[in-house]
Coordinates of all heavy atoms in Angstrom, one line a residue:
M1 N 101.0 93.1 73.3 CA 101.0 92.9 74.7 C 100.3 94.0 75.5 O 100.5 95.1 75.1 CB 102.6 92.9 75.2 CG 102.7 92.5 76.6 SD 104.4 92.5 77.2 CE 105.3 91.5 76.2
G2 N 99.4 93.6 76.3 CA 98.6 94.7 77.1 C 99.4 95.2 78.2 O 100.5 94.8 78.6
K3 N 98.7 96.2 78.9 CA 99.4 96.9 80.0 C 99.7 95.9 81.1 O 100.7 96.0 81.7 CB 98.5 98.1 80.5 CG 98.5 99.2 79.6 CD 97.7 100.4 80.3 CE 97.7 101.6 79.4 NZ 96.9 102.7 80.0
K4 N 98.7 95.1 81.4 CA 99.0 94.2 82.5 C 100.2 93.2 82.2 O 100.9 92.9 83.1 CB 97.7 93.4 82.8 CG 97.8 92.5 84.0 CD 96.4 91.9 84.3 CE 96.5 91.1 85.7 NZ 95.2 90.5 86.0
D5 N 100.2 92.7 80.9 CA 101.3 91.8 80.6 C 102.7 92.6 80.7 O 103.6 91.9 81.2 CB 101.1 91.3 79.2 CG 99.9 90.4 79.1 OD1 99.6 89.8 80.0 OD2 99.3 90.4 78.0
E6 N 102.7 93.8 80.4 CA 103.9 94.6 80.4 C 104.4 94.7 81.9 O 105.6 94.6 82.2 CB 103.8 96.0 79.8 CG 103.6 95.9 78.3 CD 103.3 97.3 77.7 OE1 103.3 98.3 78.5 OE2 103.1 97.4 76.5
L7 N 103.4 94.9 82.7 CA 103.8 95.1 84.2 C 104.3 93.8 84.7 O 105.3 93.7 85.5 CB 102.5 95.5 85.0 CG 102.2 96.9 84.9 CD1 100.9 97.2 85.5 CD2 103.2 97.8 85.5
L8 N 103.6 92.6 84.3 CA 104.1 91.4 84.9 C 105.4 90.9 84.3 O 106.1 90.1 85.0 CB 103.0 90.4 84.6 CG 101.6 90.6 85.3 CD1 100.6 89.6 84.8 CD2 101.8 90.6 86.7
T9 N 105.8 91.5 83.2 CA 107.2 91.1 82.7 C 108.2 92.1 83.3 O 109.4 91.9 82.9 CB 107.2 91.1 81.2 OG1 106.9 92.4 80.7 CG2 106.3 90.1 80.6
G10 N 107.9 93.0 84.1 CA 108.9 93.9 84.7 C 108.9 95.3 84.0 O 109.7 96.1 84.6
A11 N 108.1 95.6 83.1 CA 108.2 97.0 82.5 C 107.2 97.9 83.2 O 106.3 98.4 82.7 CB 107.8 96.9 81.0
L12 N 107.4 98.0 84.5 CA 106.5 98.8 85.3 C 106.6 100.3 85.0 O 107.6 100.9 84.9 CB 106.9 98.7 86.8 CG 106.0 99.4 87.8 CD1 104.6 98.9 87.7 CD2 106.5 99.2 89.2
R13 N 105.4 100.8 84.7 CA 105.3 102.3 84.4 C 104.1 102.8 85.2 O 103.2 102.1 85.5 CB 104.9 102.5 82.9 CG 106.1 102.2 82.0 CD 105.8 102.5 80.6 NE 105.0 101.4 80.1 CZ 104.7 101.2 78.8 NH1 105.0 102.1 78.0 NH2 104.0 100.2 78.5
R14 N 104.3 104.0 85.6 CA 103.4 104.7 86.5 C 102.0 104.6 86.0 O 101.0 104.3 86.8 CB 103.8 106.1 86.7 CG 103.2 106.8 87.9 CD 104.0 108.1 88.1 NE 104.1 108.7 89.3 CZ 103.8 108.5 90.5 NH1 103.3 107.7 90.9 NH2 104.0 109.2 91.6
G15 N 101.7 105.0 84.8 CA 100.3 105.0 84.3 C 99.8 103.7 84.1 O 98.5 103.5 84.1
A16 N 100.5 102.6 84.1 CA 100.0 101.3 83.9 C 99.5 100.6 85.2 O 98.8 99.6 85.1 CB 101.0 100.4 83.2
L17 N 99.7 101.2 86.3 CA 99.3 100.7 87.6 C 97.8 100.6 87.6 O 97.2 99.7 88.3 CB 99.8 101.5 88.8 CG 101.2 101.2 89.2 CD1 101.6 102.1 90.3 CD2 101.4 99.8 89.6
S18 N 97.1 101.5 87.0 CA 95.6 101.4 87.0 C 95.0 100.1 86.4 O 93.9 99.8 86.6 CB 95.1 102.7 86.3 OG 95.4 102.6 84.9
A19 N 95.8 99.4 85.6 CA 95.4 98.2 85.0 C 95.4 97.0 85.9 O 94.9 96.0 85.6 CB 96.2 97.9 83.7
L20 N 96.0 97.2 87.1 CA 96.2 96.1 88.0 C 95.1 96.1 89.1 O 94.5 97.1 89.4 CB 97.5 96.3 88.7 CG 98.7 96.2 87.9 CD1 99.9 96.5 88.7 CD2 98.9 94.8 87.2
S21 N 94.9 95.0 89.7 CA 93.9 94.9 90.8 C 94.5 95.6 92.0 O 95.7 95.9 92.1 CB 93.6 93.4 91.1 OG 94.7 92.8 91.7
R22 N 93.7 95.7 93.0 CA 94.1 96.3 94.3 C 95.3 95.6 94.9 O 96.2 96.2 95.4 CB 92.9 96.4 95.2 CG 93.3 97.3 96.5 CD 92.2 97.3 97.4 NE 92.2 96.0 98.1 CZ 91.3 95.6 99.0 NH1 90.2 96.4 99.2 NH2 91.4 94.5 99.6
E23 N 95.1 94.2 94.9 CA 96.2 93.4 95.5 C 97.5 93.5 94.8 O 98.6 93.5 95.4 CB 95.7 91.9 95.6 CG 94.6 91.7 96.6 CD 93.2 92.1 96.1 OE1 93.1 92.3 94.9 OE2 92.4 92.1 97.0
E24 N 97.4 93.5 93.4 CA 98.7 93.6 92.6 C 99.3 94.9 92.8 O 100.5 95.0 92.9 CB 98.3 93.4 91.2 CG 97.9 92.0 90.8 CD 97.5 91.8 89.4 OE1 96.8 92.6 88.9 OE2 97.8 90.7 88.8
R25 N 98.5 96.0 92.9 CA 99.1 97.4 93.1 C 99.8 97.4 94.5 O 100.9 97.9 94.7 CB 98.0 98.4 93.1 CG 97.8 99.0 91.7 CD 97.0 100.3 91.8 NE 95.7 100.2 92.6 CZ 94.5 99.8 92.1 NH1 94.4 99.4 90.9 NH2 93.5 99.7 92.9
M26 N 99.1 96.8 95.5 CA 99.7 96.7 96.8 C 101.1 96.0 96.8 O 102.0 96.3 97.5 CB 98.8 96.0 97.8 CG 99.1 96.2 99.2 SD 98.0 95.3 100.4 CE 96.4 95.9 99.9
K27 N 101.1 94.8 96.1 CA 102.3 94.1 96.0 C 103.5 94.9 95.4 O 104.6 94.9 95.9 CB 102.1 92.8 95.1 CG 103.2 91.8 95.0 CD 102.8 90.6 94.4 CE 102.5 90.6 93.0 NZ 102.4 89.3 92.3
Y28 N 103.2 95.7 94.3 CA 104.2 96.5 93.7 C 104.7 97.7 94.7 O 105.8 98.0 94.8 CB 103.8 97.1 92.4 CG 104.0 96.2 91.2 CD1 102.9 95.4 90.7 CD2 105.2 96.0 90.6 CE1 103.1 94.6 89.7 CE2 105.3 95.2 89.5 CZ 104.3 94.4 89.1 OH 104.5 93.6 88.0
E29 N 103.7 98.2 95.4 CA 104.0 99.3 96.3 C 104.9 98.8 97.5 O 105.8 99.4 97.9 CB 102.7 99.9 96.9 CG 102.0 100.7 95.9 CD 100.6 101.0 96.3 OE1 100.2 100.8 97.4 OE2 99.8 101.6 95.5
L30 N 104.6 97.6 98.0 CA 105.4 97.0 99.0 C 106.8 96.6 98.5 O 107.8 96.8 99.3 CB 104.7 95.8 99.7 CG 103.5 96.1 100.5 CD1 102.7 94.8 100.8 CD2 103.9 96.8 101.7
A31 N 106.9 96.1 97.3 CA 108.2 95.8 96.8 C 109.0 97.1 96.7 O 110.2 97.1 97.0 CB 108.1 95.2 95.4
R32 N 108.4 98.2 96.3 CA 109.1 99.5 96.3 C 109.6 99.9 97.7 O 110.7 100.4 97.8 CB 108.2 100.5 95.6 CG 109.0 101.9 95.4 CD 108.1 103.0 94.9 NE 107.2 103.4 96.0 CZ 105.8 103.4 95.9 NH1 105.2 103.1 94.8 NH2 105.1 103.7 96.9
E33 N 108.7 99.8 98.6 CA 109.0 100.2 100.0 C 110.2 99.4 100.6 O 111.0 99.9 101.4 CB 107.8 100.1 100.9 CG 106.7 101.1 100.6 CD 105.5 100.8 101.5 OE1 105.6 100.0 102.5 OE2 104.4 101.4 101.2
L34 N 110.2 98.1 100.2 CA 111.3 97.2 100.6 C 112.6 97.3 99.8 O 113.6 96.6 100.1 CB 110.8 95.8 100.7 CG 109.6 95.5 101.7 CD1 109.1 94.1 101.4 CD2 110.1 95.7 103.1
G35 N 112.6 98.1 98.8 CA 113.7 98.3 97.9 C 113.9 97.2 97.0 O 115.1 96.9 96.5
L36 N 112.9 96.4 96.6 CA 113.0 95.3 95.7 C 112.4 95.5 94.4 O 112.5 94.7 93.5 CB 112.2 94.1 96.3 CG 112.7 93.6 97.7 CD1 111.7 92.6 98.3 CD2 114.1 93.0 97.7
L37 N 111.9 96.7 94.1 CA 111.2 97.0 92.8 C 112.2 96.9 91.7 O 111.8 96.4 90.6 CB 110.5 98.4 92.9 CG 109.6 98.6 91.7 CD1 108.6 97.6 91.5 CD2 109.0 100.0 91.9
D38 N 113.4 97.4 91.8 CA 114.4 97.4 90.7 C 114.7 95.9 90.3 O 114.7 95.6 89.1 CB 115.6 98.1 91.0 CG 115.5 99.6 91.1 OD1 114.6 100.1 90.4 OD2 116.3 100.2 91.8
R39 N 114.8 95.0 91.3 CA 115.1 93.6 90.9 C 113.8 93.0 90.3 O 113.9 92.2 89.3 CB 115.5 92.9 92.2 CG 116.0 91.5 91.8 CD 117.0 90.9 92.7 NE 116.8 91.3 94.1 CZ 116.6 90.5 95.1 NH1 116.6 89.2 94.9 NH2 116.5 90.9 96.3
V40 N 112.6 93.3 90.8 CA 111.4 92.8 90.1 C 111.3 93.2 88.7 O 111.0 92.5 87.8 CB 110.2 93.3 90.9 CG1 108.9 92.9 90.2 CG2 110.1 92.6 92.3
R41 N 111.7 94.5 88.4 CA 111.7 94.9 87.0 C 112.7 94.3 86.2 O 112.4 94.0 85.0 CB 112.1 96.5 87.0 CG 111.0 97.4 87.5 CD 111.4 98.8 87.5 NE 110.4 99.7 87.8 CZ 110.6 101.0 88.0 NH1 111.8 101.5 88.0 NH2 109.6 101.8 88.3
Q42 N 113.9 93.9 86.7 CA 114.9 93.3 85.9 C 114.6 91.8 85.7 O 114.8 91.3 84.6 CB 116.3 93.4 86.6 CG 116.8 94.8 86.6 CD 118.0 95.0 87.4 OE1 118.5 94.1 88.2 NE2 118.6 96.2 87.4
V43 N 114.3 91.1 86.8 CA 114.2 89.6 86.6 C 112.8 89.1 86.9 O 112.6 87.8 86.8 CB 115.2 88.9 87.6 CG1 116.6 89.2 87.2 CG2 115.0 89.3 89.1
G44 N 111.8 89.9 87.3 CA 110.5 89.5 87.6 C 110.4 89.0 89.0 O 111.3 88.9 89.8
W45 N 109.1 88.6 89.3 CA 108.9 88.1 90.7 C 109.6 86.8 91.0 O 110.0 86.5 92.2 CB 107.4 87.9 90.9 CG 106.6 89.2 90.9 CD1 105.9 89.7 89.9 CD2 106.6 90.3 91.9 NE1 105.4 91.0 90.2 CE2 105.8 91.3 91.4 CE3 107.2 90.3 93.1 CZ2 105.6 92.5 92.2 CZ3 107.0 91.5 93.9 CH2 106.2 92.6 93.4
A46 N 109.8 86.0 90.0 CA 110.5 84.7 90.3 C 111.9 84.9 90.7 O 112.5 84.0 91.3 CB 110.4 83.8 89.0
G47 N 112.5 86.1 90.5 CA 113.9 86.3 90.9 C 114.1 86.7 92.4 O 115.2 86.8 92.8
L48 N 113.0 86.8 93.1 CA 113.1 87.1 94.5 C 113.2 85.8 95.3 O 112.8 84.8 94.9 CB 111.8 87.9 95.0 CG 111.5 89.2 94.3 CD1 110.2 89.8 94.9 CD2 112.7 90.2 94.5
T49 N 113.8 85.9 96.4 CA 114.0 84.8 97.3 C 112.7 84.5 98.0 O 111.7 85.3 98.1 CB 115.1 85.0 98.4 OG1 114.6 86.1 99.3 CG2 116.4 85.4 97.7
A50 N 112.5 83.3 98.6 CA 111.3 82.9 99.3 C 111.1 83.8 100.5 O 110.0 84.2 100.8 CB 111.4 81.5 99.7
K51 N 112.2 84.2 101.1 CA 112.2 85.2 102.3 C 111.6 86.5 101.8 O 110.7 87.1 102.6 CB 113.5 85.3 102.8 CG 113.6 86.2 104.1 CD 115.0 86.3 104.7 CE 115.0 87.1 105.9 NZ 116.4 87.2 106.5
E52 N 112.0 87.0 100.7 CA 111.5 88.4 100.2 C 110.1 88.3 99.9 O 109.3 89.1 100.2 CB 112.4 88.8 99.1 CG 113.8 89.1 99.5 CD 114.8 89.3 98.3 OE1 114.4 88.7 97.2 OE2 115.8 89.9 98.5
T53 N 109.6 87.2 99.1 CA 108.3 87.1 98.7 C 107.4 86.8 99.9 O 106.3 87.3 100.0 CB 108.0 86.0 97.7 OG1 108.6 84.8 98.2 CG2 108.7 86.4 96.4
G54 N 107.9 86.1 100.9 CA 107.1 85.9 102.1 C 106.9 87.1 102.9 O 105.9 87.3 103.5
R55 N 107.9 88.0 102.9 CA 107.8 89.3 103.6 C 106.7 90.2 102.9 O 105.9 90.8 103.6 CB 109.2 90.0 103.6 CG 109.1 91.3 104.3 CD 109.0 91.2 105.8 NE 109.1 92.5 106.4 CZ 108.3 92.8 107.4 NH1 107.5 92.0 108.0 NH2 108.4 94.0 108.0
I56 N 106.7 90.1 101.6 CA 105.7 90.9 100.9 C 104.3 90.4 101.2 O 103.4 91.1 101.5 CB 106.0 90.9 99.4 CG1 107.3 91.8 99.1 CG2 104.8 91.5 98.6 CD1 107.8 91.7 97.7
G57 N 104.2 89.0 101.1 CA 102.9 88.4 101.4 C 102.4 88.7 102.9 O 101.3 88.9 103.1
G58 N 103.4 88.7 103.8 CA 103.0 88.9 105.2 C 102.5 90.4 105.4 O 101.5 90.6 106.1
L59 N 103.2 91.3 104.7 CA 102.8 92.7 104.8 C 101.4 93.0 104.1 O 100.6 93.8 104.6 CB 103.9 93.6 104.2 CG 105.1 93.6 105.0 CD1 106.2 94.4 104.2 CD2 104.9 94.3 106.4
I60 N 101.2 92.3 103.0 CA 99.9 92.3 102.3 C 98.8 91.8 103.3 O 97.7 92.5 103.4 CB 99.8 91.5 101.0 CG1 100.7 92.3 100.0 CG2 98.4 91.4 100.5 CD1 100.9 91.5 98.7
G61 N 99.0 90.8 104.0 CA 98.1 90.2 104.9 C 97.8 91.2 106.1 O 96.6 91.4 106.4
Q62 N 98.8 91.8 106.6 CA 98.7 92.8 107.6 C 97.8 94.0 107.2 O 96.9 94.4 107.9 CB 100.0 93.3 108.1 CG 100.8 92.4 109.0 CD 102.1 93.0 109.4 OE1 102.5 94.0 108.9 NE2 102.8 92.3 110.3
K63 N 98.1 94.5 105.9 CA 97.3 95.6 105.5 C 95.9 95.3 105.2 O 95.0 96.1 105.4 CB 98.0 96.1 104.2 CG 99.3 96.9 104.4 CD 99.8 97.6 103.2 CE 101.1 98.3 103.5 NZ 101.1 99.6 102.9
K64 N 95.6 94.1 104.7 CA 94.2 93.6 104.5 C 93.5 93.5 105.8 O 92.3 93.9 105.8 CB 94.2 92.4 103.8 CG 94.5 92.3 102.3 CD 94.3 91.0 101.7 CE 94.4 91.1 100.2 NZ 94.2 89.8 99.6
R65 N 94.1 93.1 106.8 CA 93.4 93.0 108.1 C 93.1 94.4 108.7 O 92.2 94.5 109.4 CB 94.3 92.2 109.1 CG 94.2 90.7 108.9 CD 94.9 90.0 110.1 NE 96.3 90.1 110.1 CZ 97.2 89.4 109.4 NH1 96.8 88.6 108.6 NH2 98.5 89.7 109.6
H66 N 94.0 95.4 108.4 CA 93.7 96.7 108.9 C 92.8 97.6 108.1 O 92.5 98.7 108.3 CB 95.0 97.4 109.1 CG 95.9 96.8 110.2 ND1 95.6 97.0 111.5 CD2 97.0 96.0 110.1 CE1 96.4 96.3 112.2 NE2 97.3 95.8 111.5
L67 N 92.4 97.0 106.9 CA 91.5 97.8 106.0 C 90.1 97.7 106.4 O 89.5 97.0 107.1 CB 91.6 97.3 104.6 CG 92.9 97.6 103.9 CD1 92.9 97.1 102.5 CD2 93.1 99.2 103.8

């Protein structure tokens, strides 16, 4: 299993973030800021509610517009 696969299954490690695209890194950073990173690590992205994933998506859109 490669670094990217480990991240996507929830085994997030600090050194493995470099294997992700800019958008994927932003997604993990926003999940951490919103206090959702532990749940993402435990159950994956599918374990989040539509409201939570929508919030992350909205914040990504805002950040992209300001870049």
Side-chain angles (χ1 to χ4, degrees):
M1 188 183 299
K3 284 185 180 180
K4 188 172 182 179
D5 294 330
E6 290 174 5
L7 283 171
L8 297 177
T9 60
L12 180 62
R13 286 184 282 190
R14 196 169 210 359
L17 279 177
S18 61
L20 298 176
S21 68
R22 187 183 80 186
E23 289 83 12
E24 289 173 323
R25 273 194 308 271
M26 192 182 308
K27 186 167 72 168
Y28 278 98
E29 290 169 4
L30 288 169
R32 185 185 69 234
E33 289 175 14
L34 295 173
L36 301 171
L37 188 55
D38 288 335
R39 190 149 34 120
V40 170
R41 286 178 175 169
Q42 291 173 353
V43 296
W45 292 104
L48 299 180
T49 66
K51 183 177 181 178
E52 292 165 339
T53 54
R55 181 70 179 139
I56 291 171
L59 291 171
I60 288 173
Q62 283 180 352
K63 285 189 178 219
K64 282 185 174 182
R65 283 191 291 275
H66 292 287
L67 289 179

